[in-house]
Amino acid sequence: MEKNKKKILIGSVSGVAAAVLLTGIIVAAVQGSGKAVKVAPVSNMNSGGWSSGSEISDYGTVTTNMNQDIYYDESLTVKEVYVKAGDTVKIGDRLVAYDTTLATMEKEMKQMEIEGIALNRKNIEAELKQLRGTKAVAKGNVAGTNTVVKASAAGTDAVVNADTGKSRTTASVQRQNMTAREGNTDTGTAGSDQDSTVTDGKETSKPFPEELKGTKIYDKITEESVPYNEDGDGTEEKPYRYLCAPGVTVHAQFMLKVLENREICTFEVVDDKDNPTRILYEWTLDGKNGQIIKPVQPDQPDTPSEPDVPDEPDTPSEPEDPSEPDDPGISDGPTKEELAKEIQEKEERLKELELEQRTAELELKQLKKKVDNAIVTSTVEGTVKSVTDEETARLENTPIISVVGEDGFYVTGRVAETAFDKIKEGMTVTVTSWTSGMTYEATISGVSSSPSTGYSDGNNENLSYYPFTAVIHGDAELSNGDGVNLSIDDLSSQDEDEIYLEQMFVREDGNQYYVYKKGDNGKLKKQYVEVGKNVSGSLEIVSGLSLDDEIAFPYGRDVREGAKTKSTDTLYDYK
C-alpha cells in the first residue's frame, strides 16, 4: 500500500512542479540579476522515469473461474492433440503439440530482417558522419546552381553545375570516403562507386545491376509477390529471385506455399528501396529441406584501383590561355542549407529505423517463445470443453481447444515487453490484496504471446504489455474481480543509478543535449550528455552526468559557463 501511495505522490509532484516552474521559476530565472545560480543534486531532481521500478505492471486482477482457449496460429501447425472433450486436466498437463518448422523459419527470417535494419542504420550513420564533416559553401560564392548528387552509400558525392553540366568530386568528401571505411588507411585516391560497403573489415555488397533498374523492390513478400527472373523455376540452379528493401518481412502463407511446392527462393536486399545503388546481401529460403540459408556475400566485380587509359600519340600540347580564369561556376561543396536538409533527412530516417528494429526485436522474442514452447500445457485446473480441427477453428475463429477451469484463485497480470523473454512458467509472484492487505504466493502457469490491446501503464505509451496467468494454491481471502498488487523478485528491477530529468532541465544544441552543472571549481559548467528513452516527458541520461552532480535550471541571463553557483536542495523552489 505504501508503494502505491509513493507512486501517486511522485506523479502528482511531477505535474504540480512542472506547472509551477512554467509560471514562476522560469520568469525568475530569465530576469536574473547577476547573482549566483542555484544548483541542486541530480539525485534530488531525478524523476526515475516516474516508474515503480518493476518490469511488470503493479496492478493485477483476481479471477475465480479462469478458462483457457487455444486459437489457430498461421505460423504453427498442429502435430498432435493430447486431450479430448470431457477430459479433466491439471496445470502443466499437455494439451497440444505443434510442428514449429514454419515458426523456426520465421524466427530466422526475423533475425535477418533485424540484421538488415542494423546494416542500413550503420550505412546511414556513416553517411551522417560524412555529411557532418563536409564543409558547406556560401551561396554568394558560386556563379551557377550546384546540386549534390549521391552516387552511393559507400561511394562519392559529385557536385554538378546545372548551367554547364560539369562535375567534380568534392575534396572534403573524397578524404572522408577514404577514411570512413573500416580498415582503410589508404591516403591515395578516393573510393569510387564500385567500392563495396565495408562491415567489420569484410566486403558485404555489390553494385546494383543496371539491368534491374525499375524492377519492383518488395518490403513485404506475400503470395502475390512475383520473382524478377523470368527464367527461374524454383530449383537450386534457378531459384526464384526477389529484390527486397532493408527490413523486408516474409508472410507465413508465402512460406507455406514454398514448403508445399518444395521451391527455392533467393531474396536480395538492397540499400535503398526508392533509389537502390547496392545489393547489401542475399539469403535463401529452401522449401525442399525447410531451411534458411544464411546471408552470403554476393560476387564482387573485379575493380581496378585506377581505370586503364590507352596510350595517346605524342602531340605537342597547346599553351594555356593565361587570360582565361578558372570556371567560377563549380563550387567546393553543397550550401549550408542543402547540407542541413540532407542531415535532417538522414537523422529522421535513423529514428524510423530504430523504431523498426525495436519492433522487429520484440517480434523475434515472440517467435522464439513459440519455437521454445512447441508443446502447450494447461494453465488451469479444469475440464476440456471442446476440441476442434484446425481448419474449422481458422474459418470460424473458434478455439482449437477450450478448457473450463474449476473454482480456484487465478491472477491475471501483465509483463512489459522489456522483460518478455525473462518471465517463465513456474516463477513465483507475490500477490497483495488491496482489500485485506494479505499477501499470497502464486505460480505463473502461462504467458500470452500477444500483447494486451489498449493497455498502458500511464508512463510510456509506446511500451507493450503481455498478459500472464498465475494460480494461487489453497484458500485465500479474495473474490472474483478483486484488485491486487503484484511483484516478481526474479525479474530485474530498475537500476537505482538510472537518471531521468524532466525535459526543461536539458537543452538541445543541434543533435546534442546538454545541461549546466556545478564544476569542480564551483563555477557553472556546460556539460554535454547522452540521452536515451523519453518517458512521460523525462529524458533518460545515459552518460555525462552522475547522481552526485549538481545541476541548474538552464535558462536565464545568469546561466552561463563560469557563473557562480549556490547549492540548494531542489530547483522546485518557487517562493
Side-chain angles (χ1 to χ4, degrees):
M1 296 301 290
E2 287 296 319
K3 184 177 182 181
N4 279 342
K5 291 178 181 178
K6 181 179 179 182
K7 183 176 181 181
I8 294 170
L9 178 61
I10 290 176
S12 300
V13 169
S14 170
V16 172
V20 166
L21 269 169
L22 289 175
T23 57
I25 199 170
I26 292 179
V27 175
V30 173
Q31 296 175 345
S33 58
K35 295 181 180 179
V37 178
K38 289 184 178 181
V39 291
V42 172
S43 57
N44 291 355
M45 306 309 299
N46 185 16
S47 67
W50 311 117
S51 167
S52 63
S54 177
E55 291 181 300
I56 68 168
S57 172
D58 287 337
Y59 173 73
T61 308
V62 175
T63 304
T64 56
N65 53 349
M66 176 70 73
N67 297 336
Q68 180 182 8
D69 294 326
I70 301 172
Y71 283 86
Y72 170 81
D73 188 325
E74 66 174 8
S75 64
L76 296 170
T77 304
V78 173
K79 184 164 66 175
E80 185 174 358
V81 176
Y82 297 106
V83 295
K84 62 182 184 298
D87 284 354
T88 300
V89 294
K90 295 182 178 180
I91 294 173
D93 284 353
R94 296 183 302 175
L95 298 179
V96 62
Y98 287 112
D99 179 350
T100 60
T101 301
L102 193 58
T104 300
M105 293 169 66
E106 268 197 281
K107 183 189 74 170
E108 293 178 359
M109 286 182 178
K110 188 62 64 176
Q111 181 62 57
M112 283 185 284
E113 177 187 336
I114 292 169
E115 291 170 0
I117 294 173
L119 180 57
N120 203 21
R121 285 179 61 184
K122 189 169 184 178
N123 283 343
I124 293 177
E125 285 168 356
E127 290 178 4
L128 261 176
K129 182 178 180 181
Q130 190 179 91
L131 288 168
R132 286 169 180 156
T134 300
K135 186 176 181 180
V137 297
K139 286 184 178 180
N141 292 342
V142 295
T145 302
N146 296 301
T147 304
V148 178
V149 181
K150 176 64 68 176
S152 74
T156 61
D157 291 338
V159 179
V160 181
N161 184 272
D163 297 330
T164 65
K166 296 180 180 179
S167 66
R168 60 173 171 159
T169 305
T170 63
S172 60
V173 176
Q174 280 184 331
R175 286 192 293 272
Q176 288 162 48
N177 274 310
M178 288 187 290
T179 57
R181 300 179 179 87
E182 295 183 26
N184 187 351
T185 56
D186 183 19
T187 56
T189 59
S192 70
D193 63 355
Q194 292 295 312
D195 294 331
S196 296
T197 302
V198 176
T199 303
D200 298 330
K202 296 180 181 179
E203 294 181 337
T204 59
S205 71
K206 66 178 181 180
F208 189 81
E210 282 294 328
E211 61 270 20
L212 293 183
K213 294 286 186 181
T215 303
K216 182 168 184 178
I217 298 174
Y218 293 97
D219 49 22
K220 292 181 181 178
I221 300 292
T222 67
E223 291 178 280
E224 288 73 37
S225 301
V226 179
Y228 72 77
N229 57 327
E230 295 179 357
D231 63 339
D233 56 11
T235 62
E236 187 174 350
E237 293 75 21
K238 295 182 179 180
Y240 294 126
R241 291 185 170 273
Y242 301 81
L243 289 178
C244 304
V248 62
T249 58
V250 182
H251 286 196
Q253 291 302 320
F254 176 89
M255 288 190 288
L256 279 173
K257 183 189 75 171
V258 171
L259 287 170
E260 290 170 0
N261 297 336
R262 298 174 62 79
E263 298 169 341
I264 296 178
C265 302
T266 295
F267 305 92
E268 298 172 333
V269 182
V270 302
D271 59 344
D272 189 309
K273 180 182 177 182
D274 298 322
N275 184 30
T277 60
R278 315 196 69 74
I279 293 178
L280 299 177
Y281 61 87
E282 65 181 41
W283 52 275
T284 300
L285 170 58
D286 185 345
K288 290 183 178 180
N289 302 310
Q291 294 178 342
I292 300 292
I293 301 175
K294 296 292 184 181
V296 297
Q297 174 185 332
D299 295 333
Q300 299 293 328
D302 294 330
T303 306
S305 56
E306 295 183 5
D308 294 330
V309 180
D311 295 333
E312 295 287 344
D314 294 333
T315 56
S317 58
E318 295 183 7
E320 295 182 1
D321 184 357
S323 63
E324 183 178 340
D326 292 338
D327 184 356
I330 305 300
S331 74
D332 289 329
T335 65
K336 182 179 180 181
E337 291 75 15
E338 290 171 337
L339 200 56
K341 181 180 178 182
E342 190 166 359
I343 288 175
Q344 182 182 4
E345 290 173 351
K346 297 294 182 187
E347 289 172 341
E348 289 174 354
R349 181 57 185 147
L350 264 185
K351 290 179 181 178
E352 292 173 0
L353 288 172
E354 287 169 4
L355 179 58
E356 289 176 17
Q357 184 168 341
R358 174 178 166 271
T359 302
E361 287 171 346
L362 180 57
E363 291 171 349
L364 179 62
K365 290 180 181 179
Q366 297 170 9
L367 288 168
K368 284 180 178 177
K369 205 136 200 169
K370 284 184 181 181
V371 172
D372 294 341
N373 298 313
I375 297 177
V376 179
T377 59
S378 178
T379 60
V380 300
E381 295 187 4
T383 304
V384 178
K385 179 182 178 182
S386 63
V387 177
T388 308
D389 66 90
E390 266 188 295
E391 187 62 17
T392 302
R394 182 180 70 84
L395 293 174
E396 299 180 1
N397 194 29
T398 56
I400 295 175
I401 297 175
S402 182
V403 181
V404 179
E406 296 176 349
D407 289 342
F409 297 102
Y410 301 90
V411 177
T412 300
R414 296 175 180 84
V415 60
E417 63 183 70
T418 52
F420 180 74
D421 55 345
K422 301 176 186 177
I423 193 166
K424 309 289 183 185
E425 293 181 14
M427 278 185 169
T428 299
V429 182
T430 301
V431 180
T432 304
S433 170
W434 287 4
T435 305
S436 65
M438 295 289 291
T439 298
Y440 308 95
E441 284 192 350
T443 304
I444 294 178
S445 57
V447 184
S448 173
S449 59
S450 301
S452 299
T453 56
Y455 176 81
S456 170
D457 68 345
N459 296 319
N460 188 346
E461 298 295 331
N462 296 320
L463 196 64
S464 297
Y465 280 78
Y466 290 76
F468 66 84
T469 302
V471 58
I472 298 174
H473 300 285
D475 294 331
E477 292 183 27
L478 296 168
S479 300
N480 191 43
D482 277 358
V484 291
N485 269 5
L486 304 177
S487 64
I488 302 177
D489 291 338
D490 292 337
L491 287 186
S492 61
S493 59
Q494 182 175 303
D495 189 345
E496 293 181 357
D497 292 331
E498 281 186 350
I499 298 175
Y500 283 82
L501 294 178
E502 289 195 74
Q503 284 180 281
M504 64 184 72
F505 296 112
V506 184
R507 296 190 63 171
E508 290 187 55
D509 181 7
N511 304 313
Q512 296 178 295
Y513 294 83
Y514 67 91
V515 298
Y516 278 103
K517 76 169 190 176
K518 179 180 178 180
D520 294 336
N521 60 357
K523 301 293 180 65
L524 208 57
K525 173 185 177 183
K526 186 177 182 180
Q527 175 67 46
Y528 283 94
V529 295
E530 179 184 356
V531 303
K533 300 186 291 290
N534 184 330
V535 180
S536 299
S538 291
L539 292 175
E540 178 188 17
I541 307 300
V542 178
S543 64
L545 206 60
S546 73
L547 290 169
D548 296 328
D549 286 327
E550 295 178 69
I551 62 170
F553 184 70
Y555 296 92
R557 267 183 306 188
D558 297 333
V559 179
R560 63 186 185 281
E561 285 199 288
K564 294 183 292 183
T565 61
K566 178 182 178 181
S567 295
T568 184
D569 290 335
T570 178
L571 297 178
Y572 291 126
D573 181 8
Y574 54 94
K575 295 179 182 180

